[in-house]
Amino acid sequence: MSAPLPELVPPADPMAELLSCPPALLDTTLDQLRTLIVVRRTGSALQAARLLGREQSSVQKQLDTLNRNFQSLCGEVLVSKRGRGKDFVFTPTGEILVEGARAVLARSMDDLHESRRRIGKTLTVGTTEFTLWILARAWETLADEFARRGVEFRLVHVRTRDFWSRLDEGQVDLLCGSVVTPVGDHASHGKYDSIEWRRGSPVLLTNLPEADLPGDAVATSALGGLPLIVPVSGLIADFLARWFGPAFRDRLNIVAEIEDLQYGVALLRARLAKGCMIVTRTLGRRAVEAADGTALRVVELTHDVEPKLEMVSAVFTRKGERERYGPDHPLNLLWEALGREAAETGHPAGG
């Protein structure tokens, strides 16, 4: 008795197109697509081979295979040579395939990372430069456990300007950092779970002599009359924008704009800029202690401008994220460890 015929898929069914994929397309591998992307980026088989850690002949063989297959599929090769020492030329079909390959590989990597995150094989934590201390002690209690379970722990440096986007877009599972909030308000903004660690107000670090800036306190409203060193973005810029509006740079006397607070401290110590810089209390204290006789001092800021603001150092994760996992998931284990540390060693406001 003859074997039954396979059940036919209706032409309108999306499965029909999938089942009719030509063999030359099915023979195209992710490795070949990655090679094509690298060749497009570098311009040659030789440079691509160096990046991929392969022989040039291996890369050229993959290009030849792709060209042969797509010549038969659509009547056009993907890439051709212009001459010795010149970059490859990509045809329109080649450019389209490169863009599609990038999307396929990026999606595959995202799906892989999401699966590893879901089953607890990877955990990504973002932290700003000044909040590493929040993570350090809790991590000590978990490092051996994570190593035993083969958890891949990734630590990412996050700048304050990218703070919420990194968390919202799923680039990190947990964030340690500081945010600006009205005095007494919760730091999570309703979208995130958080563990608060410390609250405090900023201070002024200055190299101005007493004659130019007398006393040990200055009102926030008086900042407009002082020479200021201001970060281009981040926590301190957020304070100034809330106090003086988005165009605060037009309203203040800014003598230097900086990318990094430590660079601002160096400017003050070297007296290459004379003025004041808004900093955290901890950074101000450390800068004075390390000044080696340089006339740096900390001046308090008295808040006479609305809204009254403070900075909150805390740990954040997406609301509801932890409930998706079991109690032994790395995210929940780290969250619990951070909670214990906050309860035992969290610093008082202003500390």
Side-chain angles (χ1 to χ4, degrees), residues 229-303:
I229 297 172
V230 176
V232 295
S233 62
L235 195 70
I236 302 307
D238 197 3
F239 270 108
L240 293 172
R242 297 202 194 189
W243 282 332
F244 299 99
F248 66 86
R249 288 179 174 81
D250 298 329
R251 302 179 59 186
L252 300 175
N253 176 22
I254 298 176
V255 296
E257 283 195 295
I258 57 174
E259 291 279 353
D260 180 80
L261 288 178
Q262 295 292 355
Y263 184 72
V265 173
L267 285 178
L268 290 173
R269 290 180 60 182
R271 303 192 68 79
L272 292 173
K274 294 182 179 180
C276 311
M277 185 170 68
I278 301 173
V279 297
T280 65
R281 190 176 301 275
T282 299
L283 178 58
R285 182 175 65 246
R286 290 175 180 172
V288 171
E289 291 173 351
D292 298 326
T294 305
L296 290 184
R297 58 194 175 102
V298 168
V299 176
E300 296 289 333
L301 271 175
T302 58
H303 302 286

Side-chain angles (χ1 to χ4, degrees), residues 2-248:
S2 60
L5 293 174
E7 182 179 352
L8 296 179
V9 178
D13 192 322
M15 184 65 72
E17 185 175 10
L18 184 64
L19 293 175
S20 66
C21 283
L25 180 61
L26 295 176
D27 288 341
T28 302
T29 68
L30 293 180
D31 185 42
Q32 290 173 339
L33 294 179
R34 185 182 69 153
T35 295
L36 189 69
I37 294 169
V38 176
V39 170
R40 180 64 182 85
R41 175 67 180 271
T42 62
S44 73
L46 176 60
Q47 295 299 325
R50 287 173 177 171
L51 277 182
L52 292 167
R54 294 178 175 175
E55 295 294 328
Q56 180 179 356
S57 58
S58 172
V59 171
Q60 188 61 56
K61 182 178 180 181
Q62 286 187 315
L63 292 178
D64 292 341
T65 300
L66 287 170
N67 272 343
R68 185 170 57 253
N69 286 344
F70 278 84
Q71 176 74 59
S72 67
L73 286 168
C74 60
E76 184 175 53
V77 298
L78 303 179
V79 60
S80 61
K81 294 180 179 179
R82 286 194 301 183
R84 186 175 180 85
K86 294 183 178 180
D87 286 354
F88 283 129
V89 175
F90 274 69
T91 65
T93 299
E95 295 286 3
I96 291 171
L97 187 62
V98 165
E99 289 307 308
R102 287 191 179 114
V104 167
L105 288 172
R107 178 61 184 270
S108 298
M109 291 298 293
D110 287 345
D111 290 345
L112 178 63
H113 181 64
E114 179 58 32
S115 295
R116 287 175 57 80
R117 170 194 289 166
R118 176 177 50 81
I119 64 176
K121 283 298 183 180
T122 184
L123 183 68
T124 304
V125 175
T127 175
T128 63
E129 178 182 356
F130 298 104
T131 52
L132 276 169
W133 56 270
I134 293 178
L135 178 66
R137 290 188 60 177
W139 169 244
E140 288 178 3
T141 67
L142 293 171
D144 290 343
E145 172 71 6
F146 281 12
R148 183 184 65 79
R149 292 171 51 179
V151 177
E152 180 185 0
F153 181 76
R154 301 177 180 175
L155 190 60
V156 179
H157 179 207
V158 176
R159 293 189 178 275
T160 305
R161 63 174 177 261
D162 303 322
F163 202 75
W164 301 122
S165 64
R166 287 292 191 102
L167 196 55
D168 292 341
E169 295 170 9
Q171 297 178 27
V172 297
D173 303 307
L174 182 144
L175 267 179
C176 303
S178 299
V179 296
V180 177
T181 185
V183 172
D185 275 14
H186 199 272
S188 68
H189 298 230
K191 291 178 60 178
Y192 314 99
D193 292 329
S194 65
I195 300 172
E196 291 192 11
W197 212 283
R198 174 166 61 184
R199 287 178 175 259
S201 298
V203 295
L204 278 184
L205 179 67
T206 184
N207 61 4
L208 294 177
E210 286 274 353
D212 295 335
L213 184 58
D216 56 6
V218 64
T220 303
S221 59
L223 290 175
L226 296 174
L228 296 176
I229 297 172
V230 176
V232 295
S233 62
L235 195 70
I236 302 307
D238 197 3
F239 270 108
L240 293 172
R242 297 202 194 189
W243 282 332
F244 299 99
F248 66 86

